[in-house]
């Protein structure tokens, strides 16, 4: 299978890339730090791994790069859109950066992928959203809103594919806490998964073409709680 992972230099994206590489898939990995991409490729000299710099916030360049990579490497069967940022007590600039990457960048790649797979006749788009998609946050409103956008957007793509029979599978991955560079700044995390454990569960959800998957699975319970708790109690607890 030919898989491209957008944002695979560290954390969840890197762990998922390594899992797929070890399974023998042809994997294309992208990100903003070429040395980290090279490091992954050099770790598996016997495998077919392609690397490419890509900043999803540069939306036109990112879409051209997708086109170029698909042409160069004989197409894709799966696109995993993992690139994302999150800040603690973000400044205005950081809030806008979050929207540029998590919303504009995500849309640029997801929209390209949908049309690519529609023309191809099949494919699978995987969006890495978050449990954060379920509710606003007093700590990072922009991050939660960006993830709500992702989950809602790809739900729309799934409905479009079902309505017009485009044969495109869509999976919305919603991790809870995973131990990655992004969360090193966080305090008070619980049920924290390693990137490897998260990647294993993500790969399983993709394989079984789940529509929505909580990572790790136990976060499903928290998802229910987040929806049921009255606001006064939610604010008190979280
Ligand atoms: N860790 C968690 O607890 C958690 C929970 C829920 C959801 N998530 C989501 O999971 C995804 C991965 O996060 P992570 O925790 O693994 O964090 P991470 O280790 O910081 O990984 C983020 C990845 O996104 C890439 N990226 C960032 N900005 C980019 C840009 N402008 N263009 C292209 N790639 C970019 C990074 O590559 P470069 O820096 O090299 O560009 C890196 O490969 C994110 O979407 C995050 O929101 C994480």
């Amino acid at each position: 299978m030919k898989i491209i992972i957008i944002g695979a230099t560290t954390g969840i994206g890197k762990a998922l890339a390594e899992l797929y590489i070890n399974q023998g898939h042809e994997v294309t990995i992208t990100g903003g730090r070429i040395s980290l991409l090279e490091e992954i490729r050099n770790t598996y000299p016997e495998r077919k791994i392609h690397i490419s710099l890509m900043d999803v916030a540069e939306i036109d360049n990112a879409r051209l790069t997708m086109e170029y990579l698909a042409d160069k490497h004989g197409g894709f069967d799966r696109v995993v859109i993992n690139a994302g940022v999150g800040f603690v007590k973000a400044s205005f600039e950081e809030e806008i950066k979050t929207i540029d990457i998590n919303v504009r960048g995500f849309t640029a790649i997801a929209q390209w992928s949908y049309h690519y797979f529609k023309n191809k006749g099949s494919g699978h788009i995987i969006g890495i959203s978050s449990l954060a998609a379920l509710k606003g946050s007093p700590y990072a409103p922009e991050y939660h809103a960006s993830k709500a956008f992702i989950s809602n957007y790809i739900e729309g793509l799934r409905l479009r594919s079902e309505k017009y029979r485009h044969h495109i599978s869509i999976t919305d991955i919603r991790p809870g806490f995973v131990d990655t560079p992004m969360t090193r700044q966080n305090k008070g995390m619980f049920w924290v998964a390693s990137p490897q454990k998260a990647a294993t569960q993500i790969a399983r959800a993709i394989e079984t073409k789940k529509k929505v998957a909580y990572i790790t699975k136990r976060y499903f319970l928290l998802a229910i709680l987040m929806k049921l708790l009255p606001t006064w109690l939610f604010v008190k607890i979280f």
Side-chain angles (χ1 to χ4, degrees):
M1 184 138 330
K2 293 184 182 209
I3 303 166
I4 180 165
I5 302 178
I6 312 301
T9 51
T10 56
I12 296 170
K14 180 183 179 187
L16 188 62
E18 292 192 307
L19 185 151
Y20 280 143
I21 290 164
N22 282 318
Q23 286 180 351
H25 295 293
E26 185 173 336
V27 182
T28 302
I29 49 176
T30 78
R33 288 165 288 175
I34 197 73
S35 58
L36 295 181
L37 296 171
E38 280 168 350
E39 201 176 292
I40 297 172
R41 189 172 59 183
N42 295 341
T43 308
Y44 306 92
E46 72 291 357
R47 303 287 190 186
K48 223 173 179 184
I49 303 166
H50 314 293
I51 64 173
S52 176
L53 276 176
M54 187 193 290
D55 178 352
V56 296
E58 300 287 334
I59 52 175
D60 293 332
N61 273 343
R63 287 162 66 86
L64 283 174
T65 304
M66 291 299 288
E67 200 71 50
Y68 170 78
L69 292 171
D71 273 359
K72 191 173 176 201
H73 303 306
F76 304 121
D77 304 301
R78 286 180 190 157
V79 178
V80 181
I81 315 173
N82 172 71
V85 290
F87 300 95
V88 173
K89 291 189 187 145
S91 63
F92 174 66
E93 289 71 22
E94 287 169 335
E95 290 209 18
I96 297 301
K97 187 173 177 183
T98 304
I99 291 161
D100 279 345
I101 295 171
N102 298 8
V103 177
R104 290 177 70 250
F106 184 92
T107 307
I109 303 296
Q111 202 271 356
W112 182 91
S113 305
Y114 193 94
H115 284 271
Y116 170 76
F117 286 139
K118 185 179 146 197
N119 291 334
K120 187 173 175 253
S122 67
H124 193 163
I125 302 171
I126 299 98
I128 308 295
S129 176
S130 171
L131 194 72
L134 296 176
K135 205 163 177 71
S137 157
Y139 308 109
E142 74 295 340
Y143 180 76
H144 284 237
S146 74
K147 292 300 179 177
F149 175 88
I150 290 176
S151 286
N152 195 292
Y153 186 86
I154 58 173
E155 179 184 35
L157 292 187
R158 184 185 312 112
L159 297 179
R160 181 181 286 175
S161 177
E162 283 173 17
K163 187 172 177 70
Y164 299 108
R165 296 197 169 83
H166 289 152
H167 308 292
I168 303 169
S169 304
I170 309 279
T171 298
D172 176 357
I173 299 287
R174 298 178 183 172
F177 290 120
V178 183
D179 181 19
T180 69
M182 182 188 285
T183 52
R184 298 250 153 92
Q185 51 183 340
N186 288 8
K187 292 193 181 91
M189 294 196 295
F190 53 93
W191 293 352
V192 182
S194 69
Q196 288 70 26
K197 182 169 184 183
T200 302
Q201 292 198 11
I202 291 170
R204 179 85 197 121
I206 295 171
E207 211 53 50
T208 53
K209 297 198 170 160
K210 278 215 164 190
K211 290 180 177 164
V212 177
Y214 291 94
I215 307 295
T216 52
K217 287 179 191 158
R218 55 163 67 170
Y219 274 102
F220 178 63
L221 298 172
L222 193 58
I224 294 171
L225 197 65
M226 282 168 82
K227 285 287 173 200
L228 289 182
L229 274 185
T231 302
W232 67 268
L233 192 54
F234 180 84
V235 169
K236 207 167 188 160
I237 296 175
F238 293 99

